[in-house]
Amino acid sequence: MKTTFSPNQIFCFNTYQAFAFHPKENLTATLLLFHANFFCIETYHHQVGCNGVLFNNIYSTSKIFLPETETDELSTILNNIKNEIKEEELASNELVFSYLKIFLIKLTRLKSDSDHSLKTSFTAVPEYLEELKALINTNFKEQHQPAFYADQLNMTVKALSKAAKQYYTKTVLALITEKLVLKAKWELLHTNTQIKQIATELGFNDEYYFSRFFKKHIGLSPKQFREEEWNMRKGFLSIP
């Protein structure tokens, strides 16, 4: 997916999600990088509310516009995080964790307010695309091909994907794929379920095809992904 960017914007990316900026001139940016062994998006979603808003939302972009009134406060929080990491004093991690929670809560509110404003300012998403979301949520494990969803909505694949691209900036196939990857990651992170069984439950008859599919989108095989993540979590299964 390609998008434009400008000053005072924040982008939120999921773990293992590749991204690149191609500026026309020199720019300065801050990268806030944290991992599940420090802050688990799924586990703390009830406290922060960012799961499905800032992260793991396949139907919305991660771009957040910062109003001038919020820029200074968010910059201060970021500087506090930097200073705590630099000092490495007693209880420093706890303070960083608290600052990060505040930072994510503020971003979640900004993103929610922004999404609401966009909905009221621009043409609403067509009803059939809302039906598409419901169909994908219900059938993504069994139905991996856009043709199924187009048929259910009495549309051609080309027309449906064009509409999805316009409103969600992703094709129907990309939406299905992201849903499958999110579910696969959750199962690998939070359960002891064998990879072969996860593949079957997600509609892959061949475990090796599932592994190739997963590696293509994440960069690691399911086995490598689980081992690396559990290693970071010290073997702890963080179940929400």
Side-chain angles (χ1 to χ4, degrees):
M1 182 184 77
K2 293 183 179 180
T3 187
T4 57
F5 61 90
S6 58
N8 294 332
Q9 286 182 342
I10 289 181
F11 289 83
C12 300
F13 300 103
N14 295 319
T15 308
Y16 298 103
Q17 181 180 352
F19 66 92
F21 290 96
H22 300 284
K24 294 180 179 178
E25 55 188 46
N26 291 335
L27 59 79
T28 301
T30 299
L31 177 64
L32 176 60
L33 185 64
F34 58 94
H35 209 285
N37 64 322
F38 181 74
F39 192 95
C40 182
I41 295 301
E42 293 93 345
T43 301
Y44 294 99
H45 68 85
H46 60 288
Q47 295 181 25
V48 182
C50 58
N51 191 28
V53 180
L54 303 181
F55 309 99
N56 298 333
N57 185 348
I58 66 173
Y59 302 105
S60 177
T61 64
S62 62
K63 187 189 301 186
I64 304 170
F65 297 90
L66 297 184
E68 287 185 17
T69 53
E70 300 287 346
T71 304
D72 288 343
E73 188 173 358
L74 288 171
S75 295
T76 299
I77 296 172
L78 274 179
N79 286 329
N80 288 340
I81 291 174
K82 289 178 186 176
N83 291 334
E84 285 300 324
I85 293 173
K86 194 184 302 179
E87 294 297 327
E88 295 184 348
E89 293 183 357
L90 181 67
S92 190
N93 274 358
E94 285 77 6
L95 276 173
V96 172
F97 190 95
S98 298
Y99 285 133
L100 181 58
K101 265 177 78 172
I102 295 169
F103 190 78
L104 293 178
I105 288 170
K106 287 188 170 294
L107 289 189
T108 300
R109 290 176 179 172
L110 286 172
K111 183 70 165 62
S112 298
D113 290 345
S114 172
D115 288 350
H116 179 71
S117 298
L118 286 174
K119 284 179 181 177
T120 56
S121 301
F122 297 98
T123 306
V125 174
E127 187 176 337
Y128 63 84
L129 286 183
E130 294 294 343
E131 291 180 36
L132 173 64
K133 285 170 63 174
L135 282 168
I136 290 176
N137 289 339
T138 304
N139 300 284
F140 74 95
K141 294 180 185 178
E142 297 83 19
Q143 302 293 340
H144 300 174
Q145 297 303 317
F148 168 82
Y149 301 94
D151 184 60
Q152 293 293 306
L153 296 169
N154 296 314
M155 298 178 68
T156 65
V157 172
K158 184 177 180 181
L160 184 59
S161 278
K162 183 179 179 181
K165 187 80 173 173
Q166 178 183 350
Y167 287 93
Y168 299 140
T169 70
K170 297 166 189 170
T171 64
V172 177
L173 182 59
L175 293 173
I176 300 165
T177 297
E178 287 195 33
K179 192 76 177 176
L180 285 166
V181 169
L182 280 176
K183 181 61 176 174
K185 285 168 64 178
W186 197 96
E187 292 292 332
L188 291 165
L189 285 172
H190 301 296
T191 75
N192 283 310
T193 307
Q194 291 185 352
I195 293 172
K196 183 177 181 179
Q197 186 178 338
I198 294 174
T200 300
E201 289 175 355
L202 291 178
F204 294 88
N205 296 324
D206 185 340
E207 178 185 349
Y208 298 104
Y209 177 69
F210 167 68
S211 291
R212 290 196 300 273
F213 166 85
F214 190 86
K215 187 170 184 178
K216 176 183 176 183
H217 296 286
I218 298 299
L220 298 171
S221 71
K223 184 174 183 292
Q224 291 170 326
F225 176 80
R226 173 175 270 172
E227 287 175 350
E228 288 202 10
E229 292 291 324
W230 282 20
N231 230 15
M232 291 180 186
R233 296 169 188 240
K234 310 300 183 188
F236 172 66
L237 292 179
S238 51
I239 301 176

